Structures are given as structure tokens and as C-alpha cells.
């Protein structure tokens, strides 16, 4: 029995566009983000999802709502799918973080835990999102589950789910807005990565999700 799990990053926001650290700040989709969600939803609707789960932050919840509107499938919400908590960084541009908190920024760029600034650790992020993904997949064993979440949360959560070391997770480029990851789960091999950074349209590369 194969369960298919699609992990979907939310659409664009004004803070994405200005390279501002969102973290768990509840920033809404902008006009582009709503268009991206509608375009992606048309493709994802063809998978006939048996369940849709979303982070309760508006940018993810509204992205999931676009798919719900096409499929009639209700959305359930899980706060464990929220983006990484970035503490004192939230609301700052990445350029400001680099200029005013250079040691913390250097550790983040190197893929290490940030020391200071009350930023959530990578292990804590990976575990809480992975647990949420496991619970979401259990809603429809042998079916299709779509989860709307956030960039850093998606990458760290799926890496934890797959049992990858941190160094291997860093080989994955940042998920583009409204792109997704496809995983499958079977009794024998367990979780396997099927596709990464799939989307309805091509975009220019983006900096790592924050």
C-alpha cells in the first residue's frame, strides 16, 4: 500500500519579495502569491487528494485554500507545520541581519545552528515538522495527502523524515514559492523522495527560505 505525500511551499509574499525574514510572523500572500497558488492548485487537483493539511499561518493556509476550492476537500491545520522560528531576526532583511548580527548570520549560511537571537534549532524544526508530516500521512493511508507549509520547514522536515544527516539536507536547494516535494511511503522501503521543486511555472533561483 503506497501513500503519496506532497509537501507544498506557500505562494509569494511581500516579505519574500523584499528578502525579509518571516519566520513565524503571519504575513499574507501578495497578488503574485495568490496567482501562484491558483496555478499550482490546478495541477495538484489532478492528484485527487484524500486530505489537505496546512500550517495555520495565513500564507500557507490561503495557499491550501486554493486547492480546497477546486477539490472540495476541507483543510485541516497543524501549527507544527509553521516556519522555523527566527526570533530576533523576524522582520529584518537578510542584509540587515548580515550587517548587525554577523556571527549569527555566518553560522546560518554555513548550515549550523544559530547561537543567539532565539532562533529555533534545526533539530527541533526537523522533528516537529517531521512529526506533523507523519501524522498528516496517517490521515489517508494508501491515498494522497497534500501539506501546505513553508520553505525551511519543508526542507528540514522532509530531511528528518528521510533520516538524512544535516550535510545531505544542505544539498537540496531552497524550494521556490508554490513548488512542492513528492514522497511515497511503502511498508518495505519506508519513505522515499520521488521529486523535488516541482511547480506550475519556472522562476529565477531564490535565496534560502526564511
Amino acid at each position: 500500500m503506497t501513500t503519496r505525500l506532497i509537501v507544498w511551499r506557500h505562494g509569494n509574499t511581500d516579505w519574500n519579495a523584499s528578502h525579509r525574514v518571516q519566520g513565524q510572523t503571519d504575513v499574507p500572500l501578495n497578488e503574485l502569491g495568490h496567482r501562484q497558488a491558483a496555478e499550482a492548485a490546478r495541477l495538484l487537483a489532478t492528484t485527487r487528494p484524500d486530505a489537505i493539511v496546512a500550517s495555520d499561518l495565513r500564507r500557507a493556509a490561503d495557499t491550501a485554500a486554493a486547492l480546497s476550492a477546486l477539490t472540495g476537500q476541507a483543510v485541516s491545520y497543524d501549527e507544527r507545520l509553521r516556519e522555523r522560528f527566527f526570533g530576533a531576526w523576524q522582520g529584518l532583511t537578510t542584509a540587515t541581519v548580515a550587517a548587525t548580527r554577523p556571527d549569527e548570520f555566518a553560522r546560518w549560511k554555513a548550515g549550523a545552528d544559530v547561537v543567539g537571537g532565539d532562533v529555533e534549532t534545526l533539530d527541533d524544526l526537523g522533528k516537529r515538522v517531521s512529526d506533523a508530516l507523519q501524522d498528516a500521512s496517517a490521515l489517508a493511508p494508501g491515498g494522497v495527502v497534500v501539506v501546505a507549509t513553508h520553505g525551511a520547514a519543508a526542507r528540514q522536515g522532509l530531511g528528518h523524515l528521510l533520516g538524512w544527516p544535516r550535510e545531505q539536507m544542505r544539498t537540496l536547494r531552497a524550494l521556490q514559492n508554490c513548488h512542492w516535494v513528492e514522497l511515497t511511503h511503502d511498508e518495505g522501503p519506508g519513505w522515499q523522495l520521488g521529486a523535488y521543486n516541482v511547480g506550475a511555472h519556472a522562476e529565477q533561483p531564490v535565496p534560502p527560505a526564511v
Side-chain angles (χ1 to χ4, degrees):
M1 182 172 63
T2 300
T3 302
R4 187 178 177 192
L5 179 65
I6 297 173
V7 183
W8 185 20
R9 187 188 177 194
H10 62 79
N12 194 261
T13 71
D14 286 344
W15 283 27
N16 286 147
S18 59
H19 303 287
R20 194 171 295 276
V21 180
Q22 296 181 118
Q24 294 187 7
T25 309
D26 201 7
V27 182
L29 296 177
N30 57 22
E31 184 178 344
L32 172 60
H34 280 290
R35 289 202 309 270
Q36 290 172 332
E39 291 172 7
R42 284 194 289 272
L43 283 181
L44 289 173
T46 66
T47 69
R48 300 176 182 271
D50 299 289
I52 303 172
V53 185
S55 157
D56 61 347
L57 296 179
R58 282 184 293 171
R59 58 193 185 270
D62 287 350
T63 297
L67 180 58
S68 176
L70 290 180
T71 63
Q73 188 70 244
V75 181
S76 57
Y77 303 95
D78 189 334
E79 66 180 23
R80 294 174 298 173
L81 293 168
R82 290 180 180 183
E83 182 58 290
R84 184 181 187 182
F85 181 66
F86 274 91
W89 293 28
Q90 294 183 176
L92 304 178
T93 64
T94 50
T96 298
V97 176
T100 61
R101 312 179 80 95
D103 292 341
E104 295 173 17
F105 186 79
R107 290 184 62 85
W108 174 70
K109 288 288 285 184
D113 279 322
V114 175
V115 178
D118 198 27
V119 178
E120 184 176 11
T121 69
L122 291 167
D123 285 345
D124 285 349
L125 172 64
K127 184 178 188 311
R128 72 167 166 85
V129 177
S130 175
D131 286 348
L133 295 177
Q134 290 273 23
D135 288 348
S137 68
L139 295 174
V144 178
V145 178
V146 177
V147 172
T149 183
H150 308 264
R155 182 166 63 174
Q156 206 68 25
L158 75 90
H160 196 92
L161 192 68
L162 292 166
W164 288 1
R166 190 176 295 184
E167 296 74 24
Q168 189 171 359
M169 292 184 210
R170 281 180 53 76
T171 66
L172 295 174
R173 57 170 290 182
L175 269 181
Q176 294 177 357
N177 285 119
C178 252
H179 283 52
W180 59 87
V181 183
E182 298 188 22
L183 302 108
T184 57
H185 185 273
D186 289 283
E187 191 99 2
W191 286 106
Q192 293 184 306
L193 179 64
Y196 187 84
N197 238 344
V198 181
H201 49 81
E203 292 182 7
Q204 293 300 312
V206 294
V210 290

